[in-house]
Amino acid sequence: MPKGVQRPMARESWMAERLRCSYLLALVVAVLLAACSRTAPPPREASPATTPAAGNQVRVVVSLPVFISLVEAVGGDRVRVSSLVPAGTDPHTYQPTPRDAQALAEADVVFVNGLGLEGWLGDLITAAGSGAPVVELAEGLQTIPEEPHQGTPETTPGQSTPQGEHTHEHGAGNPHLWLDPDYAIEYVRRIAQSLEEVDSGGASTYQTNAERYIAEIQAFDAWAKGQVQRIPPARRKLVTFHDAFPYFAEHYGLELVGVIVLSPGREPSPQELAQLVDLIRQQGVPAIFTEPQFNPKLAETLARETGVKVLELYSDTPPTGEDYIGMMRRNVEHVVEGLE
Ligand SMILES: [Zn+2]
């Protein structure tokens, strides 16, 4: 065997491709097996009391847990909703399972965020052979570009910065639009429109429910704007775990000073952490915010270094028992508690 011909790097990526193909093949097989053997519907965990007409319910699959309550608010008893990403799991680094392929194969409509947030989903829908329409809730909406927050040339002249290597592994524009209530309202409208298209008999229900939930979001938002006014303007500074809150910050007049993890799944370097510590001190940031789906150790280290408070924010999964509005209320309460 001619050793000189070996190219370890190329070989590695070839192996990765092989593994990827085997994985997809396994998914396809799982879907076919499921389709062939399915004589009785799989057991459902959710609300047996409201499923006498289970066969007639619109089967909805969403990508993230936070979208479940938006669809349920619009669909009521006419829909049965499940999320591909389980509660409390980071959607950026999620690895889909054969169970997800089966859920997609059985779906009547699929709601995803888009903008590259569900990068793992593309192959899965094809592999599942799902004929359901896939609705991208953020499609065509005005986005904020993804940018590095700490270590910008203005604040650290002459130093090397992480700017060049910043990749959030999202697509064009930051994808977390739903954390701005105005965009959440747009999501609700799109959900109502799409449910109407797959279930025209429920049109008036969907429209009525959507208008009611939009009014609830607006009432929440008016309250939230009043709450933010309690924070002195100089303290309206946000440092979050990952880059999920630029729309939230802009909507409520907060300055997004920095993020702890520039790219989900990649730990910051000691140098990046040191820059963030400097920034928190220079800017007098009163608190930093973790997210429950991520390891809190980094934030705790930062808090020890800087003496600031640590509180939680929610982006992809509402706290147990809360819907979208409840999650947003919790976010606003924590921001006010941390910064005022
Ligand atoms: Zn994210």
Side-chain angles (χ1 to χ4, degrees):
M1 177 155 45
K3 277 192 174 146
V5 181
Q6 275 191 358
R7 292 179 308 176
M9 290 307 287
R11 197 169 171 77
E12 242 174 60
S13 70
W14 176 79
M15 281 300 287
E17 188 58 35
R18 280 273 308 235
L19 282 171
R20 196 172 136 81
C21 289
S22 321
Y23 170 69
L24 279 176
L25 193 65
L27 270 183
V28 173
V29 170
V31 169
L32 288 176
L33 283 175
C36 293
S37 67
R38 184 152 45 90
T39 50
R44 295 280 162 185
E45 310 88 37
S47 53
T50 61
T51 52
N56 298 325
Q57 284 179 304
V58 178
R59 290 162 302 182
V60 183
V61 170
V62 298
S63 56
L64 311 185
V66 65
F67 299 149
I68 291 177
S69 68
L70 297 182
V71 175
E72 285 180 340
V74 175
D77 288 344
R78 299 188 72 93
V79 299
R80 194 173 63 199
V81 196
S82 65
S83 169
L84 296 175
V85 176
T89 303
D90 175 19
H92 299 282
T93 52
Y94 180 64
Q95 297 289 327
T97 66
R99 197 191 168 98
D100 293 330
Q102 183 168 349
L104 287 165
E106 293 172 355
D108 294 311
V109 57
V110 180
F111 292 108
V112 303
N113 185 73
L115 294 172
L117 180 58
E118 302 94 346
W120 40 267
L121 189 60
D123 294 339
L124 189 65
I125 290 176
T126 315
S130 172
V134 179
V135 181
E136 291 198 4
L137 294 169
E139 188 181 18
L141 299 179
Q142 180 78 45
T143 59
I144 296 174
E146 294 193 277
E147 290 178 278
H149 298 284
Q150 62 260 42
T152 54
E154 292 77 36
T155 54
T156 54
Q159 288 182 19
S160 82
T161 74
Q163 190 170 24
E165 60 185 301
H166 172 73
T167 52
H168 193 176
E169 293 178 9
H170 292 149
N174 190 299
H176 309 84
L177 284 84
W178 67 90
L179 292 163
D180 173 339
D182 286 339
Y183 281 127
I185 287 170
E186 186 57 35
Y187 282 27
V188 168
R189 291 210 170 98
R190 290 177 174 197
I191 288 166
Q193 174 74 33
S194 300
L195 288 178
E196 206 175 314
E197 282 164 19
V198 296
D199 174 30
S200 58
S204 65
T205 304
Y206 298 139
Q207 286 307 323
T208 306
N209 288 350
E211 289 313 316
R212 193 193 55 228
Y213 202 64
I214 287 169
E216 284 178 32
I217 293 175
Q218 287 166 336
F220 152 78
D221 191 32
W223 168 85
K225 283 174 173 159
Q227 290 296 301
V228 172
Q229 295 310 307
R230 290 167 49 185
I231 308 168
R235 294 168 64 90
R236 291 178 194 167
K237 292 177 175 173
L238 215 51
V239 171
T240 64
F241 192 87
H242 93 296
D243 194 10
F245 293 89
Y247 300 95
F248 178 87
E250 188 171 277
H251 185 80
Y252 290 113
L254 305 163
E255 183 191 351
L256 190 54
V257 170
V259 295
I260 298 170
V261 170
L262 291 170
S263 177
R266 183 174 78 77
E267 297 265 304
S269 68
Q271 189 200 12
E272 286 164 353
L273 275 182
Q275 282 179 342
L276 190 52
V277 167
D278 287 346
L279 201 61
I280 289 167
R281 288 184 179 139
Q282 283 163 15
Q283 301 247 349
V285 175
I288 56 178
F289 295 90
T290 57
E291 294 173 64
Q293 74 272 33
F294 297 108
N295 187 334
K297 285 215 173 75
L298 280 171
E300 285 161 6
T301 304
L302 276 170
R304 260 201 313 277
E305 288 283 317
T306 56
V308 303
K309 281 188 275 191
V310 182
L311 294 98
E312 269 186 349
L313 290 180
Y314 306 89
S315 59
D316 312 307
T317 304
T320 309
E322 301 281 10
D323 68 346
Y324 168 79
I325 293 174
M327 176 185 94
M328 292 295 286
R329 187 177 294 117
R330 212 67 89 75
N331 282 343
V332 170
E333 284 169 353
H334 288 184
V335 165
V336 172
E337 185 186 336
L339 304 185
E340 83 176 334

